[in-house]
Amino acid sequence: MRRHINFPKSNIRLKSLRLIAGTLSIAAFPSAISSQTPSSIELDTVQVVSRAAQKQLKSTAPVYQLDSKHFNRLGVTDISDALHRLPGVNLRDYGGLGGLKTVSVRGLGAPHTAVVYDGIVLSDSRSGEVDVARYSLDNVESLSMTIGDNDDIFQPARIAGSAASFAISSFRSPDPDKPLDLTAQMKYGSFGYVNPYIRIGKAFTEKFSMNLIGDYTYAENDYPFKLKNGDYTYKEHRNNSRMNSGHGEMNAIWSPDSRSSLKAKLYYYDNDRRLPGPVIYYNNTNNESLRDRNFFGQLQYRNAFNSQWSLQVHGKFNWSSSLYRDENGKYPGGKLNQNYTQREAYGSACLLFLPADKWAVDYSADYFFNNLNSNLPTETYPRRHSILQSLTARYRGGWFTGMVRLLGSIYNTSTKIGGNSQDHSRLSPSASISVQPLGGEMLFVRLSYKNIFRMPTFNEAYFYHYGNPNVKPETADQFNLGLTYQFRPLSWLTNLELTADVYVNNVKDKIVAIPYNMFLWTVVNLDKTRTIGCDITENATFSLNRHQKLLLTGNYSYQRAEPRNPDMVNEYKKQIAYIPRHSGSITVSYENPWVNLSLHTSAVSCRYATNSNIPDTRLGGYADMGLTAYRTFNLKGHQLELRGDLMNLLDKQYAIVARYPMPGRSWRLSVKFTM
């Protein structure tokens, strides 16, 4: 659907001066990424053609989006790198390509973030954290981060049951005009990195199409790093870091008519890797390894029965296995083997009703069952039944959009052996609004509130010498006030979009692990934590001439995240572990007919590895700079893309997680052919 907006020609000079001042002030800071609004200038009329960008502008809660067109422009190398370009996101990275990577938003913790893959939430009931490193950026069409609840109400209740959602969209329907939709790519890089990828799609009829996807990654990950010990500095290499990883997918879509569709996905992932472990003085050996396997199948059915009623139904079965091995003389027989297997069955139904113009009502109901077993002699075999229901109403007028939601949650947990954790049920309200106060100006002000809680994971409730079956769920209250402003385009400045949000997050009964000694820990609830922060984003496109343009994008985040339990004197009002006060990124991209260039930097301030913030646990701040060059060639209707990346250009040594050094300067080359 295209929307035409006619802008008056008057006051152009005044607007130009205001745009220049705004651009210079924002460029002085690292700012955040949000999706560009494609537009074309036709004399005195601007034609806005992106519905997704318009929805983002008018959203009642913060939404940040990147699509596949931005990945080259911004020099994004993988999904974890893309997360660095989003404001308010804290990524834990346990070193290099094969390291675990989990995402936390605004200091709430990774279990509060729902990672959504093609419309259905990914889950890990054991740890509550999803490793985003296992999902290939080459297979992604778009990424989006939503914080709180926005006015996109036609969605499963499980997505609404999280404080934030990170959505990965991978499915792309093959082009029906092509006999075969083929994409093949090869990447080669430092430290033995090799990554072939292929996607084959075909539209068999106008109603039915399929694609097959496969990729394989091998890397030695034996990168050098410096180890400081007092006045001495030693040059070391990461060892025991090799990884073998592969993944395959099959997607199919059937659309019997214009109102209905059925999507199916089969997914398998296998990663056999060695674990380098933390860097410890005089001990650089490690014999740990981990094999992760994951299979799931999912179905999505949508039907718009008429102009008032629409239905979507989701179903999924998920199986995952982790096999941990450690060869060490301290174990009986010289080996330790720990195997974990978890399963999930999931079903969801969403019914959307449009009773009148500008009004929409959605009822969603989800059920999922999880269980976990292992070969540990202390295994209790936990299992959990969960029912989530949400009732949502939305009003969308010309200058005002409002949404209210009530989420009901029921959790029933039991074990085959030992004590059970407590069952829980809760009602969680949320509300958000967006207003356009200046009529024709593209200025939108948003205000949102969300109450949510998360259940303890199976590890937090049952893990030997760690879990506590009586631990209570965390309860979070999120408050957000923000604005989005899209300036009117000029001949030399075709796009300038700014967003700013301030927020307060209060978490009650925060779940933490407390050590009694080196070997015995237990999970307890703190009184509460509070995070106060702000996120700023900027996205500008400068037209140098007909064939050249400059893009400036960035983000800046401030987070003051503090434990608020007066009884814990050493941690009271200190910064929560691993959350920096300041973080951000900035990217300058130059597009031209020859070779496109992108210079990008991500930076964070110092952090602490413990909540007590003692000097010995301080992690220094860093700025990671990279350079990307790419060009696409047209070959008789096909496309050949060449790309080169220099990562950590300044060879800065840093760690995101204590004692897990990140790689220094490295390079990567890729060749991509699309038919």
Side-chain angles (χ1 to χ4, degrees):
M1 175 181 177
R2 297 189 175 186
R3 181 182 178 186
H4 297 267
I5 303 175
N6 295 314
F7 295 136
K9 298 180 181 178
S10 60
N11 297 327
I12 288 294
R13 293 183 180 178
L14 179 60
K15 297 292 185 182
S16 301
L17 293 174
R18 194 170 68 185
L19 289 175
I20 294 171
T23 303
L24 292 177
S25 63
I26 291 298
F29 298 90
S31 4
I33 209 78
S34 48
S35 187
Q36 275 184 264
T37 304
S39 61
S40 58
I41 297 179
E42 302 175 358
L43 298 178
D44 61 329
T45 302
V46 173
Q47 187 179 54
V48 181
V49 298
S50 174
R51 292 185 63 187
Q54 289 296 310
K55 288 177 64 177
Q56 183 176 335
L57 284 171
K58 298 180 179 181
S59 173
T60 59
V63 177
Y64 308 103
Q65 186 168 1
L66 297 173
D67 60 33
S68 56
K69 295 180 181 179
H70 288 91
F71 298 153
N72 277 341
R73 287 178 171 178
L74 301 176
V76 175
T77 55
D78 53 35
I79 289 182
S80 61
D81 187 26
L83 286 165
H84 283 299
R85 318 302 177 88
L86 303 177
V89 174
N90 302 116
L91 183 76
R92 286 202 185 184
D93 192 327
Y94 290 79
L97 184 68
L100 175 71
K101 296 171 176 61
T102 62
V103 56
S104 170
V105 177
R106 293 183 171 181
L108 291 170
H112 276 285
T113 303
V115 181
V116 184
Y117 193 59
D118 284 337
I120 298 182
V121 175
L122 301 169
S123 67
D124 189 308
S125 59
R126 182 167 68 93
S127 68
E129 301 177 344
V130 174
D131 182 8
V132 297
R134 65 175 57 181
Y135 301 98
S136 171
L137 188 70
D138 303 314
N139 193 41
V140 171
E141 290 299 308
S142 68
L143 302 170
S144 65
M145 176 69 72
T146 303
I147 302 174
D149 283 336
N150 69 346
D151 53 307
D152 184 10
I153 67 172
F154 194 33
Q155 61 181 7
R158 195 173 188 182
I159 297 177
S162 297
S165 62
F166 176 59
I168 304 171
S169 177
S170 73
F171 187 81
R172 182 190 68 197
S173 297
D175 190 341
D177 296 329
K178 295 181 179 180
L180 193 67
D181 195 342
L182 172 67
T183 299
Q185 180 174 260
M186 173 62 77
K187 294 182 181 180
Y188 182 73
S190 301
F191 319 125
Y193 174 77
V194 179
N195 175 216
Y197 165 84
I198 189 168
R199 172 155 68 179
I200 302 173
K202 183 175 178 57
F204 294 94
T205 68
E206 293 183 355
K207 299 180 179 180
F208 180 73
S209 59
M210 291 182 62
N211 65 30
L212 298 173
I213 299 152
D215 74 325
Y216 169 74
T217 303
Y218 175 87
E220 289 290 342
N221 289 323
D222 53 349
Y223 51 88
F225 67 95
K226 294 179 181 179
L227 179 62
K228 292 185 178 182
N229 185 7
D231 296 331
Y232 298 96
T233 300
Y234 304 94
K235 292 184 177 179
E236 302 283 353
H237 279 79
R238 289 296 261 166
N239 57 29
N240 199 58
S241 300
R242 190 184 68 193
M243 67 170 291
N244 280 286
S245 173
H247 124 268
E249 283 186 38
M250 182 184 72
N251 297 282
I253 180 170
W254 176 53
S255 301
D257 53 54
S258 60
R259 290 180 172 272
S260 60
S261 66
L262 178 65
K263 293 181 180 180
K265 178 189 290 288
L266 293 176
Y267 174 97
Y268 180 73
Y269 169 85
D270 196 324
N271 187 0
D272 193 355
R273 55 185 164 178
R274 297 175 181 175
L275 302 178
V279 173
I280 302 174
Y281 296 129
Y282 312 117
N283 183 12
N284 197 28
T285 61
N286 200 61
N287 295 303
E288 297 172 277
S289 62
L290 178 67
R291 184 180 183 187
D292 287 320
R293 292 177 293 169
N294 180 212
F295 165 81
F296 66 78
Q298 66 185 42
L299 291 171
Q300 297 173 277
Y301 173 72
R302 293 195 177 201
N303 195 329
F305 299 109
N306 50 48
S307 60
Q308 287 189 308
W309 294 93
S310 298
L311 172 72
Q312 60 174 324
V313 178
H314 298 169
K316 179 177 180 178
F317 173 76
N318 181 78
W319 173 91
S320 60
S321 171
S322 296
L323 287 75
Y324 170 81
R325 300 178 295 273
D326 185 11
E327 297 183 9
N328 195 307
K330 66 182 181 181
Y331 303 119
K335 292 182 180 180
L336 174 67
N337 292 290
Q338 293 183 348
N339 304 331
Y340 301 89
T341 302
Q342 54 180 305
R343 305 163 192 84
E344 178 178 279
Y346 169 74
S348 170
C350 311
L351 185 63
L352 180 68
F353 175 49
L354 307 177
D357 186 31
K358 302 178 182 180
W359 282 96
V361 178
D362 172 81
Y363 170 73
S364 299
D366 292 23
Y367 166 79
F368 44 103
F369 170 78
N370 301 88
N371 69 359
L372 172 70
N373 63 274
S374 72
N375 66 340
L376 300 182
T378 57
E379 180 60 70
T380 59
Y381 302 98
R383 51 194 175 186
R384 177 175 291 160
H385 298 269
S386 307
I387 299 175
L388 303 181
Q389 300 178 81
S390 67
L391 182 62
T392 313
R394 183 193 67 205
Y395 174 84
R396 183 181 287 165
W399 61 274
F400 175 85
T401 301
M403 185 279 298
V404 292
R405 168 177 286 149
L406 186 63
L407 174 72
S409 308
I410 301 173
Y411 295 94
N412 179 274
T413 308
S414 61
T415 59
K416 288 186 178 180
I417 301 174
N420 299 342
S421 72
Q422 298 178 8
D423 298 333
H424 292 278
S425 61
R426 192 73 57 88
L427 290 176
S428 304
S430 61
S432 58
I433 61 172
S434 172
V435 297
Q436 189 177 9
L438 300 181
E441 291 286 342
M442 298 296 284
L443 171 66
F444 299 90
V445 180
R446 55 180 168 266
L447 177 66
S448 62
Y449 163 76
K450 182 171 185 176
N451 172 270
I452 204 65
F453 81 110
R454 79 163 183 92
M455 286 291 291
T457 66
F458 285 160
N459 275 0
E460 292 168 338
Y462 300 109
F463 196 72
Y464 182 61
H465 279 178
Y466 180 86
N468 176 3
N470 296 315
V471 67
K472 295 181 289 186
E474 290 183 1
T475 302
D477 289 302
Q478 301 169 259
F479 303 88
N480 187 92
L481 173 64
L483 61 86
T484 299
Y485 190 22
Q486 186 181 64
F487 288 78
R488 297 183 177 184
L490 301 171
S491 59
W492 57 274
L493 183 62
T494 58
N495 181 69
L496 178 58
E497 183 181 314
L498 310 176
T499 73
D501 289 270
V502 293
Y503 62 87
V504 177
N505 294 334
N506 291 321
V507 179
K508 183 181 178 183
D509 295 324
K510 181 74 172 179
I511 299 174
V512 297
I514 302 295
Y516 285 137
N517 54 49
M518 290 183 61
F519 306 101
L520 182 61
W521 292 56
T522 187
V523 168
V524 299
N525 292 111
L526 292 182
D527 183 17
K528 62 180 177 180
T529 64
R530 174 175 295 169
T531 302
I532 300 174
C534 71
D535 296 328
I536 302 172
T537 78
E538 174 269 346
N539 181 16
T541 303
F542 301 88
S543 179
L544 304 181
N545 58 41
R546 185 177 179 183
H547 300 291
Q548 300 180 60
K549 55 185 176 181
L550 198 67
L551 296 90
L552 176 65
T553 58
N555 73 77
Y556 168 75
S557 294
Y558 171 81
Q559 296 183 74
R560 186 177 182 89
E562 303 170 338
R564 307 286 290 189
N565 187 352
D567 295 335
M568 304 187 69
V569 178
N570 293 331
E571 299 180 358
Y572 182 61
K573 290 190 176 182
K574 302 289 182 68
Q575 187 78 355
I576 293 177
Y578 289 111
I579 298 178
R581 288 282 177 89
H582 307 276
S583 62
S585 71
I586 190 167
T587 303
V588 180
S589 303
Y590 173 48
E591 295 188 346
N592 57 78
W594 311 288
V595 177
N596 299 313
L597 299 173
S598 174
L599 182 66
H600 42 90
T601 301
S602 299
V604 303
S605 62
C606 69
R607 297 134 293 137
Y608 291 90
T610 63
N611 290 342
S612 56
N613 292 186
I614 59 177
D616 289 344
T617 66
R618 183 180 183 273
L619 297 173
Y622 67 88
D624 187 344
M625 180 179 291
L627 177 66
T628 298
Y630 65 97
R631 183 175 176 182
T632 301
F633 301 88
N634 291 318
L635 304 174
K636 297 181 179 180
H638 310 310
Q639 288 188 336
L640 179 68
E641 180 187 290
L642 304 179
R643 172 172 165 169
D645 291 277
L646 279 175
M647 297 165 285
N648 199 350
L649 189 62
L650 303 180
D651 201 26
K652 172 72 174 179
Q653 179 169 319
Y654 65 95
I656 296 177
V657 176
R659 296 182 177 177
Y660 285 83
M662 297 293 290
R665 185 185 297 114
S666 60
W667 57 270
R668 189 173 297 176
L669 299 175
S670 65
V671 180
K672 182 178 180 180
F673 176 75
T674 303
M675 184 175 72

